[in-house]
Amino acid sequence: ASQTPIPINNAELLIASHLSQLHTSYIMSASTPENQVWKLVKKPQGDLKDDDFKLESIPVPTITDGQILVRALWISVDPYLRGRVGNHPLNTPVVSGLVGEVIESKSSNYKVGDNVRFYGAWQRVQAVTVETAEKTQELQKAVVPDGTRLSVALGVLGMPGATAYLGLKHAGSFKKGDAVVITGAAGAVGASVGQYARAWGASKVVGFAGGPEKCKLVKEKFGFDECIDYKKFNTAQSVKDELKRIQPDGFDVFFENTGGHVSDAIYDG
């Protein structure tokens, strides 16, 4: 992937350039051999704060037979992590999905230079035991279209995209001509669901998002027919009325991402 490296100690949040364009990632420096790790050092109270985390320098691991040494390039920062860090052991690395490059290999399955997607620590360089990680599907080669940033492997070609695809096609039993309503439409999963629905021939795609800016993005960038601002329509009854106005015959598929009064209204309606 072609990108300008940013030192990890800047801890800058970037928006991964993929289908939904809303999957947040840290980009890590492509330089080695320095190794660093982010650890959770305080139990978060409310919004996450800088001092909930600590960046530490650690040695580069030495790998053994069956392992690969991976330099992380992108770390996936997903909404579910907010709940997880509340119960995460203190003074240990945060873990999530990553993509990176193999810089040393003692496994026949991977060679130096391979790009991989894996589940691991927020750490610049780490050892991955291939057999164990592959059995639990926590390690795969990361393949993205030519000219596409590697972070796409964490977005539309990763967990969010798979959730959208499988949820709509299989759990939702989507068929051409269906009308679809989606909560969390400005998020990585919801935005992908809407675009799949549009590509597969939905008769109408309606999303919910918070605020006019997000609703504008949902309609103009992601191609939804309508976007309802749940902050404006802040009661179940007002949501029901607006949905009835937009789609009098109702919806065939409801893709739920958020809960709350919007979901209550749709389930009751």
Side-chain angles (χ1 to χ4, degrees):
S2 174
Q3 54 203 27
T4 303
I6 297 178
I8 182 175
N9 55 315
N10 286 349
E12 296 189 31
L13 280 173
L14 300 180
I15 303 301
S17 177
H18 72 337
L19 184 61
S20 77
Q21 296 192 0
L22 285 170
H23 193 65
T24 306
S25 303
Y26 281 114
I27 182 173
M28 302 180 75
S29 172
S31 62
T32 53
E34 183 184 16
N35 200 15
Q36 294 173 301
V37 61
W38 284 103
K39 292 184 178 180
L40 183 73
V41 293
K42 290 183 181 178
K43 290 290 184 183
Q45 302 294 325
D47 293 341
L48 297 177
K49 302 175 181 62
D50 289 347
D51 61 2
D52 292 335
F53 304 90
K54 184 179 180 181
L55 183 64
E56 294 184 0
S57 294
I58 59 173
V60 173
T62 300
I63 62 172
T64 58
D65 288 345
Q67 291 187 318
I68 55 176
L69 193 65
V70 182
R71 178 177 60 224
L73 298 174
W74 292 85
I75 300 176
S76 180
V77 184
D78 304 279
Y80 78 85
L81 289 171
R82 177 60 187 88
R84 176 169 290 184
V85 296
N87 297 312
H88 190 79
L90 295 181
N91 300 306
T92 63
V94 183
V95 294
S96 68
L98 304 93
V99 287
E101 179 186 7
V102 177
I103 58 174
E104 184 182 349
S105 177
K106 292 188 177 180
S107 165
S108 60
N109 293 2
Y110 297 90
K111 64 181 185 299
V112 172
D114 282 347
N115 291 323
V116 294
R117 177 175 57 216
F118 65 106
Y119 192 80
W122 286 10
Q123 184 170 313
R124 187 193 299 274
V125 181
Q126 56 199 289
V128 179
T129 302
V130 170
E131 184 178 2
T132 302
E134 287 187 335
K135 279 183 178 179
T136 56
Q137 298 185 340
E138 293 181 351
L139 172 67
Q140 307 94 22
K141 289 186 178 179
V143 179
V144 300
D146 290 343
T148 304
R149 190 157 49 184
L150 187 59
S151 60
V152 170
L154 293 173
V156 71
L157 297 181
M159 177 270 289
T163 301
Y165 180 93
L166 296 171
L168 183 62
K169 189 175 183 66
H170 296 288
S173 301
F174 175 87
K175 60 186 184 297
K176 186 176 180 179
D178 279 350
V180 181
V181 60
I182 304 157
T183 55
V189 173
S192 297
V193 172
Q195 290 171 92
Y196 281 131
R198 173 60 63 223
W200 295 342
S203 60
K204 184 162 285 187
V205 181
V206 177
F208 282 85
E213 185 176 350
K214 286 185 178 180
C215 275
K216 181 179 180 182
L217 181 71
V218 166
K219 291 184 66 175
E220 296 183 3
K221 186 69 174 180
F222 304 148
F224 285 57
D225 295 300
E226 299 287 346
C227 182
I228 301 172
D229 182 353
Y230 68 79
K231 294 181 179 180
K232 178 180 178 182
F233 296 89
N234 57 8
T235 66
Q237 188 58 54
S238 66
V239 169
K240 288 181 184 180
D241 293 343
E242 183 66 1
L243 287 173
K244 187 70 173 177
R245 182 190 70 79
I246 292 172
Q247 182 68 9
D249 295 333
F251 293 87
D252 302 290
V253 180
F254 169 36
F255 201 107
E256 153 67 350
N257 287 302
T258 60
H261 74 279
V262 172
S263 298
D264 291 343
I266 296 172
Y267 286 133
D268 291 344

